[in-house]
Amino acid sequence: MNLTLPKWYDLHTHFRQGENLSAYVSEHLKMGCAGALAMPNTKPPVSRVSGENDDTSWSIESYRQEILDAGGDAFDQLIVPLYLTKDTTPEMIHEGAESGLLKACKYYPPHGTTNSEHGVPLKDLLGSDVFKAMDDCGVVLCIHGEAHGLKGPDYFDANRSAEKTFYEESMPRLLEHHSGLKIVCEHITTKAAARFVSEGGPSLGATVTPQHLLFTVSTMLQGFNPQLYCLPLIKFEEDREALRAAVTQHGQQRVFAGTDSAPHTLKATDCGCAAGCFTGGCAPQLYAMGFEAAGSDLVNSQPDIDAFRNFLCLNGPAFYGFPPSEETFDLVRTPSQSELLEAGEGPITPLPFGLKLTMDWSLK
Ligand code: NCD
Ligand code: ZN
C-alpha cells in the first residue's frame, strides 16, 4: 500500500556545522523533505542577519549559504531563524525583514538546552522594541517553551514541568504584550502546551516531534535509553494523548511537522548526556506510526490521510507563508529499519536504530 504525499517540510531541525552538515542535509532530502527551518544554535550562534561569520557570531546569510553549498540547494525553502541574544536590535529586524533574509527569530531559554547559553530571559523581551519590530514586519517568533533556571520537582515532576510552567505563566503574558505576533510553539510535549495552542488564534502555531507522539518517559527510563533523551523531555501518557489529539484532529491547520532532529556524534558527555534525537532519514515513517498509534487509519480512511497530509505537508508552509511542494514522495506500508549514519565526524544513531525499533512504514 502506497501513500503518495506532497514532499513535506521540516519546520524545526538541526543541520549543525562542519564536516557532517552535508550528511544531515542528504538524510533530509532522502526522506522526501522539500525544505527546512534550520536552527541557529551553532557554535557560535547565528545571531546576525548578514555579513561574514566571525568568532562570536554567525549570520543568517553565511550559515544559509553553507547549508545550500552542502546540498541544501535542492530544497525549495530554507529558513534560518535569527538567534535572539542581548545584542539583537530592532534595526536588525527591520533591515533583515526588508532584505528577505529574516523570516523568523528563535527564543532559547538561557542554559535550557543545547547551545542555548546566549538566550535572553523572556521577561526581558516582553514589551521590547525587538518583539514590536518582529510584529510590525511579520517575522515569526519560534519559541522553545520551557521556563529556565528551575531545579528539582519544579523542573520535572509528575504534575509540574518547565514546559507546563512556561505555558501557564509566561505565554499568557507574552500574548498580553504582543497579541499580533506570529508565534510557533515548538516541539510541544505537554497537555498544558497543547491546550494553550488549541485555545489560540490563527497567529499561533505549533510543531510536534515524532518521539513525543510515539513515546512516553517510561520508554526512556525502562532500560535507560539515552537515545530518547531530548529537550523538552518526553512526558507522560496524558501528555502524549493530548499531542496525538492535536495532530490528528480533522481539519486542524495550526499544528505541523518539526522533527527537532538533533544529531549528536557523542550522546555520553562530561555533563551527562547530550540532548537530542536524530530522526534524519526516518521522520515521515515515524510520524505515520505516531498517527496510527493515535488511532488514525492511514490505509483506508481518507479523512485520516487528509489530516496526516495537513500536518506533514501543508499546514507548515501555510503558516510560514510559502506554497506547499508540487512534487511528491511515497510512503509504503512495509516494515523497515534504520541504520547507523556513517559520517566524517563519527557515526550518528538514528532514533529507531538506537531503540532497536522496526518501523511499520518505508520510503519508496
Ligand atoms: C537540540 C540540540 O541538540 O541542538 N536538542 C534537543 O534535545 N532538542 C536543542 C533544542 O532544540 O532544544
Ligand atoms: Zn531543536
Side-chain angles (χ1 to χ4, degrees):
M1 184 271 169
N2 265 19
L3 197 51
T4 302
L5 297 163
K7 285 193 169 179
W8 65 288
Y9 285 91
D10 187 352
L11 289 155
H12 179 135
T13 195
H14 298 265
F15 286 141
R16 309 297 193 204
Q17 59 204 89
E19 221 183 312
N20 279 10
L21 203 166
S22 59
Y24 302 148
V25 168
S26 159
E27 288 305 292
H28 261 67
L29 288 166
K30 271 191 226 161
M31 59 175 172
C33 185
L37 192 105
M39 284 294 128
N41 63 336
T42 45
K43 282 183 161 178
V46 181
S47 55
R48 280 181 290 117
V49 175
S50 50
E52 298 288 309
N53 290 343
D54 64 35
D55 290 347
T56 56
S57 67
W58 282 8
S59 73
I60 293 176
E61 187 181 22
S62 306
Y63 183 48
R64 208 175 159 276
Q65 194 57 51
E66 242 177 76
I67 301 173
L68 294 174
D69 293 345
D73 52 356
F75 287 132
D76 289 343
Q77 297 283 339
L78 179 63
I79 300 173
V80 176
L82 180 74
Y83 192 134
L84 292 168
T85 71
K86 63 177 180 22
D87 298 321
T88 313
T89 64
E91 291 74 30
M92 283 162 75
I93 306 293
H94 280 288
E95 287 166 20
E98 230 160 82
S99 75
L101 275 170
L102 182 67
K103 308 272 189 221
C105 293
K106 172 78 187 209
Y107 167 77
Y108 279 111
H111 302 282
T113 187
T114 309
N115 299 348
S116 65
E117 60 275 22
H118 307 282
V120 185
L122 190 73
K123 67 173 175 31
D124 297 355
L125 290 161
L126 293 184
S128 68
D129 290 339
V130 167
F131 275 3
K132 284 183 194 155
M134 287 172 61
D135 191 351
D136 289 346
C137 300
V139 171
V140 173
L141 174 62
C142 301
I143 293 223
H144 181 120
E146 289 191 287
H148 65 282
L150 301 180
K151 295 269 181 280
D154 289 334
Y155 179 67
F156 188 77
D157 200 10
N159 302 309
R160 284 180 276 176
S161 68
E163 181 174 296
K164 186 165 188 267
T165 301
F166 189 87
Y167 280 94
E168 289 179 351
E169 294 175 13
S170 301
M171 283 303 278
R173 287 218 300 279
L174 172 59
L175 292 198
E176 269 165 40
H177 279 86
H178 303 278
S179 57
L181 201 55
K182 257 188 131 172
I183 299 172
V184 179
C185 303
E186 300 197 293
H187 44 53
I188 58 169
T189 69
T190 55
K191 188 177 166 185
R195 181 184 302 141
F196 182 84
V197 171
S198 76
E199 289 170 357
S203 59
L204 197 66
T207 58
V208 180
T209 77
Q211 62 267 23
H212 292 102
L213 274 185
L214 280 167
F215 307 112
T216 64
V217 67
S218 94
T219 329
M220 181 173 76
L221 293 180
Q222 208 163 18
F224 196 72
N225 197 327
Q227 293 303 331
L228 256 187
Y229 177 66
C230 66
L231 294 171
L233 287 163
I234 304 265
K235 302 291 191 311
F236 298 91
E237 182 55 31
E238 65 167 16
D239 300 301
R240 180 170 68 172
E241 272 171 21
L243 300 179
R244 287 178 171 180
V247 300
T248 56
Q249 194 198 326
H250 292 169
Q252 72 80 15
Q253 297 187 317
R254 294 188 287 116
V255 187
F256 42 89
T259 61
D260 199 10
S261 175
H264 288 275
T265 44
L266 271 185
K267 285 289 277 182
T269 68
D270 292 346
C271 318
C273 185
C277 302
F278 177 59
T279 47
C282 53
Q285 302 92 302
L286 295 175
Y287 275 131
M289 285 175 71
F291 269 64
E292 289 186 318
S296 294
D297 181 348
L298 298 183
V299 176
N300 295 307
S301 163
Q302 196 55 47
D304 288 357
I305 293 171
D306 290 345
F308 184 59
R309 182 189 295 108
N310 288 347
F311 169 78
L312 192 68
C313 320
L314 306 181
N315 291 354
F319 191 91
Y320 275 94
F322 58 83
S325 176
E326 287 175 7
E327 292 176 55
T328 60
F329 78 108
D330 286 297
L331 278 173
V332 188
R333 210 181 182 303
T334 50
S336 68
Q337 253 143 14
S338 64
E339 292 167 7
L340 268 190
L341 174 65
E342 299 293 345
E345 285 167 53
I348 309 290
T349 308
L351 185 60
F353 184 86
L355 297 177
K356 300 187 179 60
L357 175 80
T358 299
M359 296 181 284
D360 296 330
W361 293 80
S362 335
L363 292 166
K364 195 170 166 186

